[in-house]
Amino acid sequence: MNTLDKGFNTKLIHAGAFEDEFGSATVPIYQTSTFKFKNAQHGADCFSGKSDGYIYTRIGNPTIRAFERNIAELENGYDGIATSSGMGAVSSVYMALLGAGSHIVSSDAVYGPARGILEQDFSRFNVEASFVNTSNTENILKAIRPNTKVLYIETPANPTIDITDIKKCAEIAKKHGLLLVVDNTFSSPYLQKPLDLGADVVLHSITKFINGHADIVGGIIVTKEEKIYKQIRHSMVYLGCNMDPTQAFMALRGVKTLAIRMERSQENAMKVAEFLANHPKIAWIKYPGLTTHPQHELAKKQMKGFGAVMSFGLKGGYKAGEKLMNNVHLALLAVSLGGVETLIQHPASMTHAAVSKENKLAAGITDDLVRFSVGIEDVNDIIEDLKNGLNKI
Ligand SMILES: *Cc1c(COP(=O)(O)O)cnc(C)c1O
């Protein structure tokens, strides 16, 4: 079915799906590593691009293709490239768009390994990187150099929940000849569509909201144009961080409920944020839905909702946060986010452990910061759990 002119919820269910000879209602798992050519000429045509037949699963596979087309439509992009993990998506994008002597400007509070791989690995190939607080776009302008190729932002950022103005970044990127890449993991295409706001590339850890059930890791990249799509697909195929057909099947199943999961979890998150904001033991809280969030107005303008992830600090600092993490029982003490289950974690010692203490502090990842991802359980139970945990401090 052609779903290009259909609404978002219809696309969630049907985009990318294709009909097979059995009339399967869902896209089956094509668990095969290789594909038989009809004859030698067909094989040669598949390799030369004259035929779009499948060749080998690292290069392409029907189940993976269905997922790629699904997310490409949700993001209003040209096409999608599915990867083994979110970091597979990040690495493929860096590999395709950066080279020796080039420079990237990135949000300072990005996913820890997305920063770590630039500092520890790409630096060995002479790629330079600057990390700045991109929620103030003046900082971006100051960081741009003659050899800057990419502006990379994450909004809301992990774990500070700072918001960056995508439209403004797109204007800056255009003016300075940079490609704008947006990690849209925290919002999902349901809440935010960076390509519509002028970005060139959008990527996701689908481990989070898109799959939403904490049962697979995976990633996806969607580009606005064909040229960049081909560049990144080449890097992904050569790096070998392709998605697996079973992963793609799970992701296709997960994404169908993205909108209703997101609605429920952000409704819960708003109530949890209000509870925490009024609790005497809380020192500070950052959630885009609260008017106290420094970029609340920008979030309202750029996002369709405020998401389900927040960060906060307790008056007793890290020791109190540790006590809370050890005394909640419904919220799982686990990294990751965006699933149906509520999760709590401590970024400084967990997801952002790879970032130096100095850089963490500069990026606002303080020792007292606790990250909370709200699930779709009964909100009263989530709040009761937090209340009990806070009482133990
Ligand atoms: C989790 C995450 C990643 C990395 O994804 P994996 O699937 O764990 O490899 C990248 N960006 C953000 C914002 C994330 O939350």
Side-chain angles (χ1 to χ4, degrees), residues 83-90 109-114 152 154-158 183-186 203-208 216-219 336-337 351-352 371:
T83 53
S84 54
S85 67
M87 275 311 293
V90 173
V110 279
Y111 184 68
Y152 183 101
E154 193 179 299
T155 180
N158 186 4
D183 183 333
N184 200 24
T185 300
F186 269 51
L203 65 87
H204 289 272
S205 166
I206 65 143
T207 314
K208 317 295 166 53
I216 53 160
V217 294
S336 200
L337 57 102
T351 45
H352 291 69
R371 193 182 73 189

Side-chain angles (χ1 to χ4, degrees), residues 351-367:
T351 45
H352 291 69
V355 179
S356 73
K357 187 155 182 134
E358 189 191 346
N359 286 342
K360 268 192 287 236
L361 285 181
I365 307 166
T366 49
D367 233 21

Side-chain angles (χ1 to χ4, degrees), residues 146-159:
N147 58 336
T148 307
K149 299 277 183 250
V150 175
L151 172 56
Y152 183 101
I153 61 171
E154 193 179 299
T155 180
N158 186 4

Side-chain angles (χ1 to χ4, degrees), residues 208-387:
K208 317 295 166 53
F209 286 103
I210 288 184
N211 182 60
H213 293 75
D215 47 15
I216 53 160
V217 294
I220 192 144
I221 304 148
V222 179
T223 73
K224 190 143 86 184
E225 287 172 9
E226 183 180 10
K227 183 169 160 257
I228 298 164
Y229 166 78
K230 284 189 165 158
Q231 256 171 276
I232 300 174
R233 177 162 291 277
H234 166 89
S235 291
M236 186 284 282
V237 169
Y238 275 41
L239 274 169
C241 51
N242 59 286
M243 185 172 272
D244 177 84
T246 302
Q247 243 179 322
F249 174 84
M250 297 288 283
L252 275 168
R253 179 166 135 149
V255 76
K256 289 185 176 144
T257 54
L258 173 66
I260 55 175
R261 281 188 282 108
M262 194 51 115
E263 279 299 336
R264 174 60 64 85
S265 55
Q266 69 181 1
E267 186 188 315
N268 283 355
M270 192 68 216
K271 288 180 185 153
V272 169
E274 278 164 353
F275 163 76
L276 288 173
N278 293 311
H279 196 283
K281 287 183 182 165
I282 299 288
W284 59 270
I285 172 164
K286 257 167 110 182
Y287 177 65
L290 296 175
T291 52
T292 51
H293 188 289
Q295 295 99 29
H296 172 67
E297 288 304 320
L298 173 60
K300 264 207 310 211
K301 197 172 82 183
Q302 171 168 295
M303 302 166 72
K304 203 181 138 206
F306 301 113
V309 188
M310 62 195 69
S311 61
F312 58 87
L314 291 156
K315 284 184 181 152
Y318 174 63
K319 279 278 154 224
E322 190 180 29
K323 203 135 203 193
L324 174 66
M325 285 185 281
N326 287 333
N327 284 288
V328 286
H329 303 291
L330 178 67
L332 306 179
L333 177 55
V335 298
S336 200
L337 57 102
V340 291
E341 57 287 301
T342 297
L343 303 179
I344 189 168
Q345 71 116 349
H346 180 240
S349 68
M350 296 174 188
T351 45
H352 291 69
V355 179
S356 73
K357 187 155 182 134
E358 189 191 346
N359 286 342
K360 268 192 287 236
L361 285 181
I365 307 166
T366 49
D367 233 21
D368 67 337
L369 189 154
V370 172
R371 193 182 73 189
F372 201 70
S373 175
V374 182
I376 63 170
E377 301 96 336
D378 284 301
V379 69
N380 295 340
D381 290 333
I382 301 170
I383 290 173
E384 194 61 29
D385 190 39
L386 280 168
K387 210 183 268 174

